[in-house]
Amino acid sequence: MTSAASTTVMAGAAVVDITPPPGQMMCGYAARTEPATGTHDPLTARALVVGDTALVVADVLGFHEDSCTRIRARSGFADDRVVVIATHTHGAPMPGRGGGPADPAFLTQLEDGCVAALQQAAANRHPARLSAGNGDDPRIAFNRRSDGGPIDPTVPVLKLEALDGTVLALAFAHGCHPVVLGAGNREYTADFPHYARAAVEAAHPGAVALFLPGCSGDVSTGHSPESSISTEVPPDRTFAEAERIGLRLARSVHQASLTPLGAAVTARSQDVALPLARNEVGDLDALAAEWTRLAATAVPAWATLYRHWANWAVTTAREPLTPCPGRVTAFNWGGLDLIFLPGEIFASTALALRTALPPGHTPFIVSFADGNPGYIPPAEAYPQGGYEVLEAHRYYNLPAAFAPGTAEQLQAAALSLCSPAR
């Protein structure tokens, strides 16, 4: 007979508002050159604690690795047992990465909010039972690099219940860029995850809903790339559309069939040096001159992009190609694997991990964890080129793109961390 103690773990959750005042620059679109005018829905930091492990996920485009290190150090948890994640909404700032230097006031507010959420979740711990499953594909995600290209259709779901049956928290993941709201939006928003979380919480009053970003480096909500380089607001890039998509995801969460987990909790992490490799052809001075020339006659959105590239060519591009710090963490909660990877990971990497892991509960494979240094494509994506492979590192203020094989390096690290935990 299974005892209650063998299926019970101390767990808790918390939410902290981290919404800055109007005036911050939101990140994710070169076409958006004006600051936020207000708030559509609050930006939050949401924490989940299971045993002596914890995660916090915040509504920002991404974190700098240094910020994650500071949050982990202040969290009250051992460094290798806590993970800091961004939802990657394009309706929020990204302190310390793309879009310019961090605003000190908001950076402090963000880090303090993440620490507070973790500490409150720890204080809220109750004896709880965990269950997990997988929702049906909500059909909201599309490969943006190739028609019919790979996506990760899974919707892993984790439920935490108190011993009286009260739902304490529901965490769910899906690999899709939160980019319904385009460059024309100037209100802070978590995009479609806001609506998904709100619907899940409405179905379970008092519970905390957490959206964890799957691997979406090449996956979006199906809106055209052209509409991302424009401040016009087409009919399919509105809050109503974000609500429609969020409710589809919430429906998948509601319908997931869940099975009980055990209570054993393990965690392992590994630092990974992410190598860089120059892909620009030609002299940097010549490239800077050409991009400056193009900026003089381009439409405003493209002019902003060209000026940024020209500035990159005479500053950041001259820095040494020192490997970028990365970190991979693997939790196992009662038989459920949760893998946390840095940066913008492509869907095929998630699919490869799912294939390599032994059968069992549908794993959470989470990106934008403990830093967002940019896109980390799989080796097969490099011959096709494109923004994610050839250009995005300039926006992320890296001197060069990630070298081919970097995604596979992260994949191997994740598998090595998972093996002993099962």
Side-chain angles (χ1 to χ4, degrees), residues 256-306:
S257 178
L258 307 182
T259 58
L261 298 173
V265 173
T266 63
R268 301 180 77 212
S269 69
Q270 179 180 327
D271 292 332
V272 181
L274 308 177
L276 305 178
R278 176 95 59 214
N279 60 33
E280 284 79 16
V281 177
D283 177 75
L284 288 171
D285 289 332
L287 287 173
E290 174 64 7
W291 288 329
T292 300
R293 184 188 67 80
L294 291 171
T297 57
V299 297
W302 277 102
T304 299
L305 192 64
Y306 286 135

Side-chain angles (χ1 to χ4, degrees), residues 187-199:
E187 293 184 289
Y188 300 127
T189 177
D191 208 278
F192 74 79
H194 158 67
Y195 293 101
R197 294 183 312 215

Side-chain angles (χ1 to χ4, degrees), residues 9-417:
V9 63
M10 297 296 290
V15 182
V16 171
D17 192 319
I18 58 166
T19 312
Q24 288 283 320
M25 288 300 301
M26 297 188 292
C27 294
Y29 301 111
R32 186 167 51 200
T33 59
E34 298 296 326
T37 57
T39 300
H40 178 271
D41 49 275
L43 306 181
T44 60
R46 294 165 183 254
L48 184 61
V49 172
V50 176
D52 64 349
T53 64
L55 61 84
V56 61
V57 56
D59 293 322
V60 290
L61 192 79
F63 283 93
H64 193 284
E65 296 76 31
D66 293 347
S67 187
C68 297
T69 299
R70 290 191 293 268
I71 292 167
R72 294 196 307 268
R74 296 173 55 200
S75 68
F77 292 84
D79 183 74
D80 62 349
R81 304 184 85 80
V82 60
V83 180
V84 181
I85 308 159
T87 61
H88 197 60
T89 174
H90 285 45
M94 181 165 68
R97 274 295 179 196
D103 175 79
F106 179 60
L107 182 60
T108 297
Q109 180 182 358
L110 172 62
E111 293 183 5
D112 287 351
C114 288
V115 171
L118 286 162
Q119 293 178 345
Q120 289 178 27
N124 291 342
R125 275 180 286 196
H126 293 83
R129 293 192 176 96
L130 311 183
S131 56
N134 181 44
D136 292 335
D137 181 2
R139 301 187 183 279
I140 65 173
F142 301 86
N143 191 290
R144 69 185 191 185
R145 284 171 55 84
S146 59
D147 188 24
I151 66 164
D152 179 0
T154 60
V155 182
V157 179
L158 171 70
K159 182 166 68 173
L160 284 69
E161 289 181 287
L163 300 188
D164 63 1
T166 301
V167 179
L168 302 175
L170 271 158
F172 54 95
H174 193 51
C176 185
H177 256 78
V179 289
V180 177
L181 279 303
N185 170 56
R186 291 178 59 193
E187 293 184 289
Y188 300 127
T189 177
D191 208 278
F192 74 79
H194 158 67
Y195 293 101
R197 294 183 312 215
V200 169
E201 290 177 345
H204 302 281
V208 175
L210 301 94
F211 168 80
L212 303 180
C215 296
S216 63
D218 56 345
V219 178
S220 72
T221 46
H223 306 99
S224 73
E226 292 76 19
S227 67
S228 291
I229 200 74
S230 169
T231 54
E232 295 182 3
V233 181
D236 64 346
R237 304 200 77 163
T238 62
F239 284 105
E241 177 65 4
E243 181 177 26
R244 185 188 72 82
I245 288 177
L247 292 179
R248 287 183 68 96
L249 178 56
R251 191 176 307 121
S252 181
V253 175
H254 294 322
Q255 295 173 350
S257 178
L258 307 182
T259 58
L261 298 173
V265 173
T266 63
R268 301 180 77 212
S269 69
Q270 179 180 327
D271 292 332
V272 181
L274 308 177
L276 305 178
R278 176 95 59 214
N279 60 33
E280 284 79 16
V281 177
D283 177 75
L284 288 171
D285 289 332
L287 287 173
E290 174 64 7
W291 288 329
T292 300
R293 184 188 67 80
L294 291 171
T297 57
V299 297
W302 277 102
T304 299
L305 192 64
Y306 286 135
R307 284 194 294 269
H308 181 85
W309 289 1
N311 181 67
W312 169 87
V314 298
T315 55
T316 307
R318 314 299 174 108
E319 297 174 1
L321 299 189
T322 305
C324 188
R327 179 184 175 99
V328 179
T329 297
F331 291 167
N332 188 282
W333 288 346
L336 173 69
D337 285 313
L338 298 95
I339 297 171
F340 304 97
L341 304 171
E344 304 212 35
I345 306 296
F346 282 34
S348 61
T349 298
L351 297 175
L353 281 167
R354 295 192 185 285
T355 299
L357 289 168
H361 297 284
T362 303
F364 280 70
I365 303 176
V366 179
S367 59
F368 305 105
D370 285 321
N372 182 19
Y375 289 88
I376 308 178
E380 67 267 18
Y382 283 79
Q384 183 183 347
Y387 165 74
E388 299 90 346
V389 174
L390 298 176
E391 300 170 351
H393 58 281
R394 303 170 197 155
Y395 175 79
Y396 276 104
N397 293 320
L398 291 178
F402 289 106
T406 303
E408 289 72 20
Q409 185 180 358
L410 291 171
Q411 179 180 321
L415 291 174
S416 71
L417 293 173

